[in-house]
Amino acid sequence: MHELNWGLPVIAYLFLAGVGAGAVTVSGSVLLRKGGFGASRFAVARCGALIGPLPVMLGTFLIVFELGQPFRALNLFKLINLSPMSIGSWLLGVFIVLSLLYALTYLPPSAGPGDRLSPIRRGLAWVCVPFGIGVALYTGVMLGAMPARPFWNSPILAALFVLSALSSGVACIILLGVFFRRKSSDPTIRADYENSSYMLVTSDAMLLGGELLVVFLFLMFGHLTIGDVRYAMAAILPGGQLAGMFWGLVVLIGLLIPFFIELFQVVPKLIYGREFRTVVALEVAVPIAILIGGFALRYVIVIAGQITAPSAL
Amino acid sequence: MNDKNNKGTSRRGFVQKLVGGVAVASAAVTTSVLSSPETASESVKGKTKSYGMLIDTRKCIGCHTCSVACKAEFDVPLGVTRSWVEYTEKGVYPNVSRHFLPRLCNHCRHPQCVDVCPTGATYKRKQDGIVVVDSGLCIGCKYCVQACPYDARFLNPVTGVADKCDFCIHRVSKGLVPSCVNSCIGGARIFGDISDPTSEISRMLATNPTTVLRPGKGTEPNVYYIGADHSDEHENNRGWYDVRVITHRTPEERR
């Protein structure tokens, strides 16, 4: 067995940072956008903003303690260089602060659309969105930067991580909505909730579709090339060590099933203008499947990169 | 100890120190007075070295003396190695062979480990091209361990920071050769300044067919081999013969 220098703490970090950065990015985008979400815009943005910083901080805690000497991590902030990890550390540090401030603006009991904090909240949303994308993106660049790891050495990995982060972020917001926003007897709030669910599920279906496309390109690239990458890609192709997990958990449970369920949910309204109805069971099951898929994706990629190597000495 | 003391290197080193001490205050005029014109001009230009190693695998008997000398020199903890010897066995009886491949950090011209280091702890020394780790800056993130195509790096289990071969910088800076070169009983290792056309290694490189490991990775290694067998276990699905690589390390597989 090959040595796994980056194990579960790193995998968990990649997943948690992706979920958190995705949730904050989606929250910021929803808050800033006009129309679509209508009156529920603030409530949706609030869900993402309040949950986002927690997984990011938990993940950061995990990698800092994975070092063995946590205080050494401060050395990262003595300089900035072109290493993806250096840029990523700064992005992550700034993002944690910004996303916490952004979350704080939602905490006062008086918080609502157009309140006193509104300009600050919008300003923070404007910076949280690019930093959130940066945090989700750098992890893929970090893995992709090394020719010594042919499985990772692909520019499309970063795109895959960003799409996965955003869709996990949306999944997180949908899941929170079920628990905190669904219960309401007021018909206007119910209608708003249904509308925001439709918007979220549509965006999530689009993100999952994009992710499927990127996974397809990733595999095709591996299949059509020869040499190192092809040998490496064999780890997730049928017969490979991680094939079961990749095709079962990542592709089937994490991408295909949620994608088609969401498609069947939104197509009637999207194309035929029929009414969109939320189903509690699906609202809980689909996001959980997406989150499982997101974790499995990081797991498969991080492990596959380390058990494969360049093919010729 | 049977150290091969490289006289040229040590004299130049001495002159450089001398010059360095004086040149703090003044420049070329002073130095040309204090030392011979030839060495002075070299020093003034700040001539940099580029250390490299040439391993003649035809002379290697796979005895691991280099590995042991390295372990002793640095007190390298159990389970990790800065320098090691791989055995490549291939063929099907009766057509079989075994080759030895001594391995160490390649001190590449384009070291990937340096590119990815987030703290600048790993850098390539300008004066001699040796790739070193500043253990005070290293945070032990293992990014460099991932990025090295030669698996030459590891996390030192005692210090918790990245570690690797440094061409015995403490010996080389005093004009000695690295410990593995000094101890090699077959005389398979030649160490020297590749940028100096008169050095033994430069002459050997110019007059022999040599190879480097994983040239396709674009790292441009400074460790060269004569007669190295580049066979790898990946070839097993390719031909009639079997290849088995014994790394004598943990993990046992070559990566």
Side-chain angles (χ1 to χ4, degrees):
Chain A
M1 190 60 196
H2 289 266
E3 198 174 21
L4 296 177
N5 283 302
W6 285 344
L8 272 179
V10 175
I11 296 167
Y13 162 72
L14 294 181
F15 170 69
L16 291 169
V19 172
V24 174
T25 306
V26 171
S27 154
S29 325
V30 168
L31 184 77
L32 294 173
R33 83 170 256 156
K34 290 252 188 299
F37 282 91
S40 59
R41 206 169 63 179
F42 186 84
V44 172
R46 182 188 178 120
C47 273
L50 290 183
I51 192 69
L54 301 177
V56 177
M57 288 191 296
L58 177 63
T60 309
F61 177 86
L62 286 177
I63 42 163
V64 167
F65 279 84
E66 194 258 356
L67 294 176
Q69 306 160 95
F71 290 105
R72 284 206 166 234
L74 294 173
N75 284 355
L76 285 166
F77 301 104
K78 284 183 179 165
L79 80 160
I80 182 164
N81 60 25
L82 282 178
S83 161
M85 197 186 278
S86 175
I87 295 170
S89 310
W90 283 96
L91 284 174
L92 185 66
V94 175
F95 178 76
I96 289 176
V97 174
L98 287 175
S99 64
L100 277 175
L101 291 174
Y102 178 59
L104 281 179
T105 65
Y106 286 89
L107 278 181
S110 62
D115 66 344
R116 201 166 41 86
L117 285 170
S118 198
I120 302 173
R121 189 182 300 125
R122 287 179 66 85
L124 282 166
W126 272 111
V127 280
C128 274
V129 170
F131 273 93
I133 291 178
V135 167
L137 187 71
Y138 101 85
T139 51
V141 178
M142 182 177 84
L143 296 186
M146 298 176 281
R149 297 291 191 187
F151 188 91
W152 294 339
N153 193 13
S154 157
I156 212 159
L157 198 65
L160 184 59
F161 276 22
V162 170
L163 285 172
S164 166
L166 291 176
S167 84
S168 322
V170 175
C172 227
I173 293 176
I174 296 178
L175 203 56
L176 279 178
V178 180
F179 293 110
F180 295 106
R181 295 180 45 231
R182 197 180 166 86
K183 282 182 237 152
S184 176
S185 47
D186 188 339
T188 352
I189 297 180
R190 283 289 307 170
D192 281 342
Y193 176 74
E194 296 282 321
N195 179 49
S196 70
S197 291
Y198 168 72
M199 293 297 289
L200 286 172
V201 172
T202 317
S203 355
D204 201 33
M206 207 171 66
L207 289 167
L208 288 178
E211 213 181 321
L212 276 166
L213 180 71
V214 170
V215 166
F216 167 75
L217 292 174
F218 187 66
L219 290 171
M220 273 321 269
F221 170 68
H223 176 68
L224 290 175
T225 191
I226 52 170
D228 292 353
V229 177
R230 189 168 191 161
Y231 278 118
M233 211 58 83
I236 58 164
L237 292 178
Q241 281 170 281
L242 292 159
M245 193 164 184
F246 178 72
W247 293 98
L249 283 184
V250 179
V251 177
L252 199 66
I253 291 181
L255 290 171
L256 279 177
I257 293 178
F259 177 66
F260 280 109
I261 290 178
E262 291 185 335
L263 215 55
F264 279 119
Q265 276 185 294
V266 299
V267 158
K269 177 166 178 176
L270 195 67
I271 297 176
Y272 304 108
R274 288 189 202 144
E275 203 185 342
F276 173 82
R277 287 208 168 276
T278 54
V279 185
V280 186
L282 289 183
E283 276 190 308
V284 175
V286 169
I288 288 178
I290 291 171
L291 292 175
I292 290 173
F295 181 81
L297 175 78
R298 306 310 198 289
Y299 183 91
V300 166
I301 285 182
V302 170
I303 302 290
Q306 294 180 84
I307 61 171
T308 53
S311 61
L313 187 70
Chain B
M1 294 291 274
N2 181 24
D3 287 326
K4 277 190 242 166
N5 197 332
N6 187 332
K7 289 226 174 65
T9 315
S10 82
R11 190 184 303 127
R12 198 178 297 136
F14 171 72
V15 171
Q16 274 173 349
K17 272 182 202 141
L18 199 61
V19 168
V22 181
V24 176
S26 179
V29 185
T30 328
T31 57
S32 60
V33 174
L34 280 170
S35 50
S36 72
E38 190 195 333
T39 43
S41 67
E42 271 182 17
S43 309
V44 169
K45 269 189 288 178
K47 190 174 182 302
T48 55
K49 293 193 181 88
S50 178
Y51 281 128
M53 193 181 286
L54 174 64
I55 303 178
D56 189 343
T57 62
R58 297 170 303 182
K59 293 181 181 170
C60 176
I61 59 166
C63 65
H64 299 285
T65 301
C66 46
S67 314
V68 175
C70 179
K71 280 264 183 190
E73 190 76 29
F74 293 100
D75 206 9
V76 182
L78 274 176
V80 288
T81 38
R82 288 172 170 228
S83 165
W84 69 103
V85 183
E86 292 174 355
Y87 292 2
T88 309
E89 297 174 348
K90 66 176 181 180
V92 175
Y93 179 82
N95 303 314
V96 291
S97 63
R98 176 186 248 188
H99 297 272
F100 307 120
L101 191 68
R103 301 279 306 268
L104 68 163
C105 170
N106 283 292
H107 297 277
C108 308
R109 196 159 157 241
H110 301 299
Q112 257 269 292
C113 51
V114 172
D115 290 342
V116 301
C117 180
T119 62
T122 278
Y123 59 97
K124 191 169 173 69
R125 293 190 357 148
K126 289 214 164 54
Q127 65 266 42
D128 51 19
I130 297 179
V131 177
V132 290
V133 184
D134 181 340
S135 55
L137 276 177
C138 177
I139 60 167
C141 70
K142 291 169 278 192
Y143 200 178
C144 56
V145 181
Q146 304 281 10
C148 175
Y150 305 103
D151 211 6
R153 287 173 162 263
F154 54 88
L155 197 75
N156 188 314
V158 175
T159 61
V161 298
D163 208 345
K164 69 177 199 60
C165 156
D166 62 358
F167 267 170
C168 281
I169 212 162
H170 60 295
R171 292 171 60 92
V172 170
S173 61
K174 293 189 168 58
L176 306 174
V177 294
S179 189
C180 57
V181 178
N182 182 47
S183 61
C184 180
I185 62 163
R189 290 172 182 247
I190 300 164
F191 178 83
D193 180 7
I194 292 180
S195 64
D196 173 9
T198 59
S199 65
E200 186 188 6
I201 185 169
S202 293
R203 280 181 283 134
M204 288 292 282
L205 283 172
T207 53
N208 285 282
T210 57
T211 55
V212 293
L213 300 181
R214 297 206 208 283
K217 293 294 160 205
T219 50
E220 299 187 29
N222 278 316
V223 174
Y224 296 82
Y225 292 90
I226 294 177
D229 189 346
H230 292 251
S231 298
D232 196 64
E233 282 174 348
H234 279 102
E235 291 168 38
N236 276 338
N237 51 16
R238 200 186 289 176
W240 56 269
Y241 55 89
D242 290 327
V243 177
R244 187 161 74 118
V245 175
I246 305 160
T247 59
H248 300 106
R249 304 178 95 190
T250 19
E252 291 173 0
E253 283 171 48
R254 177 197 275 166
R255 106 160 163 80

